[in-house]
């Protein structure tokens, strides 16, 4: 199922249709500010396990997940004053921040060090979904088996049918990975340089 949603001003009635799919345990493809992501409800373990399987990803490499805003992040991670000020300056935007997860985060989404990757993308569709759902959705890139990331929602729908239950058409997105910054402690560490500017951390 493919549904067209205006990326600039997504209608709430269409977002609610997608949220119904997520609530029912469905897996979706959705636009972010870096690429199309594949995800599900953070608290649906069966759906998360299914994504691990078809992405052929080891359980030792947890997916990141999307929060609605900084307040939302503080529910799912331990945020120092330094981390808060850093994220407030850069979010929403093309960054994944590594933080120590809170007790709310399912174990399957944590590393051995109990850390998690959290995002607040600059995209009205995925942020609208998280707000209506009430909690985060997991995020992994819509990529082929060879690792190439797909930019066209129609290609994604064709490639992933099944296991996807729904694909949001938010337009073609030229894929560019997020910059990954660890904010464990008060000395930031650049894990991956991507679309987000990292010069402040060097």
């Amino acid at each position: 199922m493919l549904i067209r949603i205006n990326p600039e001003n997504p209608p709430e009635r269409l977002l609610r249709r997608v949220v119904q799919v997520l609530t029912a345990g469905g897996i979706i493809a959705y636009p972010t500010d870096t690429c199309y992501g594949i995800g599900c409800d953070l608290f649906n373990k069966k759906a998360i396990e299914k994504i691990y399987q078809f992405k052929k990803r080891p359980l030792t490499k947890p997916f990141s997940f999307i929060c609605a805003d900084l307040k939302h992040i503080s529910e799912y991670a331990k945020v120092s004053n330094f981390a808060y000020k850093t994220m407030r300056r850069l979010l929403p935007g093309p960054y994944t921040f590594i933080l120590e997860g809170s007790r709310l985060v399912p174990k399957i989404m944590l590393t051995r060090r109990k850390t998690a990757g959290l995002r607040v993308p600059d995209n009205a569709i995925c942020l609208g979904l998280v707000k209506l759902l009430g909690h985060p959705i997991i995020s992994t890139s819509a990529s082929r088996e060879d690792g190439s990331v797909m930019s066209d929602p129609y290609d994604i729908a064709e490639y992933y049918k099944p296991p996807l239950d729904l694909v949001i058409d938010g337009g073609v997105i030229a894929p560019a990975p997020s910059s990954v910054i660890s904010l464990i402690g008060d000395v930031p560490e650049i894990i991956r340089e991507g679309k987000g500017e990292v010069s402040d951390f060097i």
Side-chain angles (χ1 to χ4, degrees):
M1 178 179 168
L2 199 144
I3 181 172
R4 168 70 183 170
I5 297 181
N6 185 324
E8 302 299 327
N9 187 25
E12 185 173 317
R13 62 180 177 80
L14 295 181
L15 293 179
R16 288 194 180 278
R17 283 175 58 185
V18 180
V19 167
Q20 287 177 346
V21 173
L22 291 168
T23 303
I27 298 171
I28 69 167
Y30 58 91
T32 73
D33 55 356
T34 55
C35 65
Y36 270 88
I38 289 174
C40 64
D41 184 333
L42 178 68
F43 296 114
N44 193 304
K45 188 178 179 182
K46 284 186 178 179
I48 292 173
E49 288 173 343
K50 190 175 179 181
I51 296 175
Y52 270 107
Q53 288 172 359
F54 72 73
K55 289 280 289 185
K56 298 180 179 179
R57 187 179 178 107
L59 290 172
T60 52
K61 291 183 65 179
F63 299 113
S64 58
F65 56 89
I66 289 174
C67 292
D69 50 34
L70 267 177
K71 182 181 178 183
H72 207 203
I73 284 180
S74 67
E75 295 176 29
Y76 293 91
K78 297 178 181 179
V79 181
S80 67
N81 287 336
F82 172 79
Y84 182 86
K85 289 176 182 177
T86 300
M87 292 188 293
R88 184 178 62 182
R89 181 167 49 86
L90 298 173
L91 296 177
Y95 296 89
T96 301
F97 288 106
I98 307 299
L99 295 162
E100 184 179 348
S102 75
R103 293 181 179 179
L104 286 178
V105 181
K107 288 183 180 179
I108 195 172
M109 295 296 292
L110 292 171
T111 67
R112 290 179 182 174
R113 295 177 59 200
K114 308 298 182 187
T115 62
L118 297 91
R119 291 211 62 206
V120 181
D122 188 12
N123 182 280
I125 292 175
C126 62
L127 294 185
L129 291 175
V130 172
K131 289 173 184 175
L132 288 174
L133 183 64
H135 39 83
I137 56 177
I138 76 164
S139 181
T140 178
S141 60
S143 58
R144 298 182 180 88
E145 200 166 333
D146 65 3
S148 59
V149 181
M150 289 177 277
S151 60
D152 191 314
Y154 287 85
D155 292 340
I156 295 167
E158 187 64 30
Y159 187 83
Y160 281 110
K161 63 170 193 181
L164 294 186
D165 297 287
L166 183 147
V167 175
I168 295 173
D169 175 6
V172 173
I173 298 174
S178 64
S179 290
V180 181
I181 311 291
S182 173
L183 294 178
I184 304 296
D186 285 349
V187 180
E189 180 185 356
I190 302 170
I191 307 298
R192 179 181 73 196
E193 187 172 350
K195 186 176 179 180
E197 177 61 54
V198 297
S199 58
D200 287 354
F201 301 107
I202 298 173

